[in-house]
Amino acid sequence: METKIYILVVEDEPEVLDAIVRDISAFESHFVIEMADTAEEAREIIQSIFDDGNQIGLILCDHVLPGDNGVELLVEMQHDPQTESTQKVLITGQAGLDETVRAVNEADLKHYIAKPWEKEKLVEIVKDQLTEYVLEHVSNPMQFMAVLDGERIAEQIRKAKSVTDN
Amino acid sequence: MSKVKWAGLILGLIGFCLPLFVSFPGLSLAGHFAMSIFLLAAVFWMFETIPIYSTSILVILAEVILLSSQGFIDYSSTSYSPLSYTEFLSTLADPIIILFLGGFILADASVKYDFDKSMTRYLLRPFGSRTSMMVLGLMLVTGFLSAFMSNTATTAMMITVILPIVAKMEPGDPARIGMALSVPFAANIGGMATPIGTPPNAVVIAALNQQGMEVEFSSWMIYAAPLAIVMLLIAWQILIRLYPPDMDAISLNLEGKLKTSTGALILYATFAVTVLLWVTESLHGIKSAIVALIPVAVLTLTSTFQKEDIRKLPWEVLWLIAGGISLGIAMKETGLAEWMVGAISWDQFGYLALLAVFATVALTMSNFLSNTVTASLLIPLAITLVTSGILQGTAGMMMIGLVIALGSSFAMILPISTPPNAIAVSTGMLKTKNMITAGLIIGLIGLGFILLLSMIYWPYLI
Amino acid sequence: MSFKFSKRWIEDKELVTQLIKRVFDETGKSEKFVHKIDKDVTLFREGDVLNDIYILLEGVVVLHKKKPKTDIDYPVIRLEHGSLIGIIAFTTGKPSLTTAITTEPSTVLKIPDLEIRSLLERDDRMKEYIDEIILANLSDRFKTNISLQMKLDSVNNKLRKERNELKKAYQDLKEAQDRLIYQEKMATLGQLVAGFAHEVNNPTASLLRSTETLENRISELMKQNDREPDKQSFVRSLYESGKKSGYPDTATLRKRSSELRKEFEGAKASQIRLLAQIPPELLSNFKSMTNNPEEMDIYLQYFELGKMFQNIESAGNRISGLVKSLKSYSRTDTDKEWELIDIREGIHDTLQLTSNRIKYYDIQINLEEVPKIRANPAALNQVWTNIILNAADAMGKNGSLDIYCTAEDDHIRVRIKDLGPGIPEEIIYNIFDSNFSTKKSDVKFGLGLGLSISRDIIKQHGGTISARNDPDGGAVFTVTLPIRK
């Protein structure tokens, strides 16, 4: 079953959105990157991704958005069985302690990146989160070894015997 | 389902039905049914319409239904005396299967207690830090481990070892490619050395057993291990020359100790005892399959290996082997193999040429198909060569068996040729074209070597 | 019960005492029982069991009581001649409650228990005298008690008043301290802002200037590049369009991308994303490159080059603008605090700096032309900031702000209205009080002083500030400032 795994980036400032996507474009060899500038648009995209039978591996979300804010979107996603497994990361300059705590407690936030970010750090975090997703939700993670954490995936193959001699 | 699989499904069904509607002169009724099964299996295996182990079970099922005395076909008026269905079913517990089961438990337990990893670290130390020596070390250790463990698991483990090394190299350093290739190649080659090294060996040995020929664990090693060792060295040299390293020396962190928990210690002891008993089979005479039950018993009764671990054993590989064995039985008993062999006039071929042909066919097929499937399809034909007198006696049988088993393992050309190849390519450290080049060279040299051994080495031992 | 002696006897202890003395003298017993004692002598201690009765004939004896938990004797009653000392102890037989010490040389009649009995038996008069004395003493004590109570009461009242005054003084002090801290904080902040603005202006300037130079050089380089003329102009136009490209919103981008995906099969996702931002007239040149992704990448890079310059320029300008607003807001670049200013500037600066909080609000700004007034711009900005941030807190993420100012006769009126829940009736009269706050811990201008400081600032300007709830919903703050030059 060739389902595609998506990375969703939600950010209302276009220059910043462009910069994030540019920084993680290396992952496009194996994943599909989608962009949204409001929580509402993100919801539409999420629905169409699932309607096509694909999955969302990671969401990189800003907090300050017009309309519903990022943390609310993430909490919503956590309560929806379809998007519960998506790795959720906040990338923002503006979330207070209360909101961040809420994201951690109610949205299973995996990581918080403060703006401005360093490209290497961002790439590392994305690689890490996608590796976790893939190891848990893809039966044959081998195909992602080139772009994700090869060691972890190889170790998984070794221990879980997802690939065997034939 | 993809187009390829659909094509496979349709072709397979056509193949199955063909002998039911077309009559082949000289082939018995049972032979026709056997051909149906053979064609179905071959196509399904080739196109992977259904998982290959599934096809194997399908083979057994079809045989029971069509070729057994409990099946639907009445053979009372033919020359074929149908086998009891138990003959087909019992391939699932053939001694070779048990032998492999023992091997699997030892291998999986080694992974569980990180024995393979600790052994690797230990064995790599004497090789120093010069890049070329390190590659040699990697290949020898990989080869050694894969002789006793699954090639795939060994490859996966070795990849985790070399990833940190490769990360320190410059992106354009050819040694990255060299190192990435060395692992699957060494795993494939190493698997040839012992009966339990890789599943094709199982199918071949079982087929030989069917002919009354017992192959001792140590005997196989004497025949095949030299090939493996020499080919490892040759492959090493080829890779070093094709992909000379930019950096002369690299450091590798070989920290790590052997686990010393009770379970681990029991494992080490069991492993040692089992291998010792296997290797000395000629001295004490206890069959290797029987010995194989020792680790199964000991590891499970000491809870070193538990229920969850047992569930995770690669049972489907055992089914795959069983399917191959039972196909061989069917082809032999129904006379299909003889008929197929008889279709070609082999006496034109010299003895060596015959071996060469089968070796080449095995090598070629296994690059595109599963090695085990290749062996399963070829060995019944090859053995029939001997039984029909074209090749001589027990020596001939052993040699053709070796040729097919070893030829099937030399599949180094494509990522799809073997799972270790696929893993190596997935890491992104090398491109397919790198593998094709190196694999072709090594494969051809291996072919040559097999023929060489069959001329100057095996005849004097068997 | 009637007393033999008239009332005056009870009040005139002197007389009674003399009589008793005389009785003793007559009976010849006086020497035995009359004792002359020096001052500072202890007759009996607290806790002693008394077997004698003491009658003070001359001098002064003070009764002491130990202060609880200490060893200090505290004087409680002063007894003069005619007093019975240790009545209670004697009559009840319980240990004495006090310690009796002479404070002057005194004469005391100390009669042992047994003697009293025999004396009483022998002489009827004695009994009466003693009764009289006891009664006199007791009523004396009683009188003293009452007057002491009354004194106590008035002392308590005084204390209570004083305590209240002290409390209030403490509150006032605390407030003054808070205000001082706040001012201190603002002063420090002001200094930091000045330093920051100054510092960041330098790299910003350098950024913008270098970018300009860079841009020039790249243009030159592109001209000189050895390229076929039509490819050359293609490259140039890609670059130029990159500089002007802006950013279409994601929905448009998505739509365009999916259209282009069909036209440019085989192109990578990152390439499609760029192609989607290139004006359609330039896309035709790319069609011929569909089978050559490396070539496509090279040309797309020129477009990206232009985009990057646009980014840098716009970002640099934004920083510049923010810093200007910050400086203007805090007025740290002038020495004078009070200037002739157009208050509308300050309102704009404030909106610019709080834009992050209010950027998704529906904002109506209607600032009519107003004359310049002499004012403290930094302080006024604090007021606008305070009101706007309060409104933002009340409204959360969606809301609207209506800011209006106009000149009326001799003053300027500024009105800021929000569409929040309004100010609760019960507190609307207290919001300008110091230390009044409904905010929780997440305060920046907090301490509950915001509005009260705002009121102080407006008062300093001679103006007024008021708040009310609008009938349509939301709160309205009105500030009037007299037009002073």
Side-chain angles (χ1 to χ4, degrees), chain A residues 12-15 17-18 21-22 25 28 33-37 41 45 64-68 72 94, chain C residues 247-251 253-254 261 269-270 273 277 304 307-308 311 314 318 356-357 359-360 397-398 442:
Chain A
D12 64 318
E13 302 225 9
E15 306 93 10
L17 181 56
D18 197 62
V21 173
R22 241 185 300 129
S25 55
E28 277 188 301
I33 300 182
E34 266 297 352
M35 311 183 273
D37 54 18
E41 199 186 344
I45 298 178
V64 176
L65 301 167
D68 290 336
E72 267 179 49
Q94 270 276 341
Chain C
Y247 289 92
D249 67 280
T250 50
L253 209 58
R254 229 200 325 283
R261 252 193 290 272
S270 49
R273 245 203 311 282
Q277 296 174 51
E304 268 194 303
K307 263 184 68 153
M308 290 307 108
N311 277 359
S314 102
R318 235 177 106 181
N356 157 274
R357 288 293 296 277
K359 62 180 170 179
Y360 296 119
K397 53 184 197 264
N398 282 322
D442 191 21

Side-chain angles (χ1 to χ4, degrees), chain B residues 116-395:
Chain B
D116 55 345
K117 263 210 162 124
S118 346
M119 282 291 283
T120 304
R121 293 201 179 100
Y122 218 60
L123 295 171
L124 278 179
R125 278 185 210 155
F127 286 93
S129 55
R130 273 189 56 215
T131 320
S132 46
M133 290 310 282
M134 190 159 280
V135 175
L136 177 64
L138 284 169
M139 291 184 79
L140 289 177
V141 175
T142 309
F144 174 66
L145 287 176
S146 73
F148 293 95
M149 288 173 51
S150 114
N151 302 352
T152 310
T154 310
T155 306
M157 191 260 308
M158 274 304 181
I159 292 284
T160 65
V161 171
I162 69 171
L163 273 172
I165 305 179
V166 168
K168 293 197 194 140
M169 295 179 176
E170 298 294 315
D173 192 345
R176 292 183 120 211
I177 302 175
M179 223 174 235
L181 281 174
S182 68
V183 171
F185 286 0
N188 290 332
I189 294 173
M192 300 176 198
T194 69
I196 57 167
T198 180
N201 299 358
V203 176
V204 166
I205 294 177
L208 294 175
N209 288 341
Q210 301 270 329
Q211 298 295 329
M213 228 188 128
E214 296 286 334
V215 184
E216 284 178 357
F217 199 99
S218 39
S219 312
W220 180 282
M221 285 183 75
I222 294 177
Y223 304 145
L227 173 69
I229 296 174
V230 171
M231 281 313 298
L232 278 174
L233 294 170
I234 292 178
W236 169 56
Q237 277 301 302
I238 290 175
L239 288 174
I240 290 288
R241 276 161 222 281
L242 275 179
Y243 304 106
D246 279 343
M247 288 165 60
D248 211 33
I250 358 163
S251 62
L252 176 58
N253 180 6
L254 291 172
E255 295 296 315
K257 296 204 312 241
L258 277 178
K259 293 203 170 145
T260 50
S261 62
T262 323
L265 295 175
I266 293 176
L267 169 65
Y268 306 149
T270 314
F271 206 113
V273 167
T274 311
V275 172
L276 195 65
L277 286 174
W278 274 335
V279 164
T280 54
E281 189 178 339
S282 44
L283 297 178
H284 54 69
I286 309 176
K287 303 226 189 293
S288 43
I290 299 175
V291 169
L293 278 177
I294 295 179
V296 179
V298 170
L299 291 176
T300 47
L301 69 86
T302 54
S303 286
T304 308
F305 207 72
Q306 298 182 319
K307 199 164 42 164
E308 297 76 36
D309 306 315
I310 296 175
R311 294 221 176 97
K312 289 197 216 151
L313 287 167
W315 299 98
E316 77 277 7
V317 180
L318 296 179
W319 290 5
L320 186 60
I321 301 173
I325 300 174
S326 69
L327 184 65
I329 294 176
M331 287 172 75
K332 167 170 156 277
E333 293 295 321
T334 59
L336 175 65
E338 196 166 348
W339 181 87
M340 284 172 84
V341 162
I344 308 175
S345 41
W346 298 99
D347 27 347
Q348 299 174 3
F349 290 92
Y351 163 73
L352 206 58
L354 220 51
L355 292 178
V357 163
F358 270 93
T360 313
V361 171
L363 190 79
T364 313
M365 276 177 73
S366 68
N367 270 303
F368 299 96
L369 295 184
S370 134
N371 301 356
T372 314
V373 164
T374 304
S376 304
L377 291 172
L378 289 179
I379 197 67
L381 304 175
I383 292 218
T384 315
L385 271 179
V386 177
T387 55
S388 57
I390 301 173
L391 270 180
Q392 300 304 19
T394 41

Side-chain angles (χ1 to χ4, degrees), chain C residues 341-374:
Chain C
I341 57 159
D342 182 346
I343 58 151
R344 294 180 296 169
E345 267 178 43
I347 296 182
H348 278 300
D349 285 335
T350 307
L351 287 171
Q352 162 88 283
L353 289 170
T354 55
S355 71
N356 157 274
R357 288 293 296 277
I358 61 176
K359 62 180 170 179
Y360 296 119
Y361 291 164
D362 192 11
I363 303 185
Q364 307 278 7
I365 307 181
N366 194 354
L367 305 177
E368 295 177 1
E369 183 140 357
V370 290
K372 293 200 180 174
I373 62 169
R374 184 157 295 276

Side-chain angles (χ1 to χ4, degrees), chain B residues 70-145:
Chain B
Q70 287 85 351
F72 293 144
I73 312 293
D74 178 17
Y75 290 102
S76 42
S77 53
T78 72
S79 56
Y80 169 66
S81 44
L83 304 167
S84 166
Y85 77 111
T86 51
E87 299 265 351
F88 296 117
L89 291 185
S90 60
T91 54
L92 285 163
D94 189 289
I96 202 72
I97 299 277
I98 303 298
L99 176 62
F100 264 72
L101 181 63
F104 285 165
I105 273 200
L106 283 177
D108 277 10
S110 299
V111 167
K112 179 176 174 180
Y113 290 93
D114 283 329
F115 187 29
D116 55 345
K117 263 210 162 124
S118 346
M119 282 291 283
T120 304
R121 293 201 179 100
Y122 218 60
L123 295 171
L124 278 179
R125 278 185 210 155
F127 286 93
S129 55
R130 273 189 56 215
T131 320
S132 46
M133 290 310 282
M134 190 159 280
V135 175
L136 177 64
L138 284 169
M139 291 184 79
L140 289 177
V141 175
T142 309
F144 174 66
L145 287 176

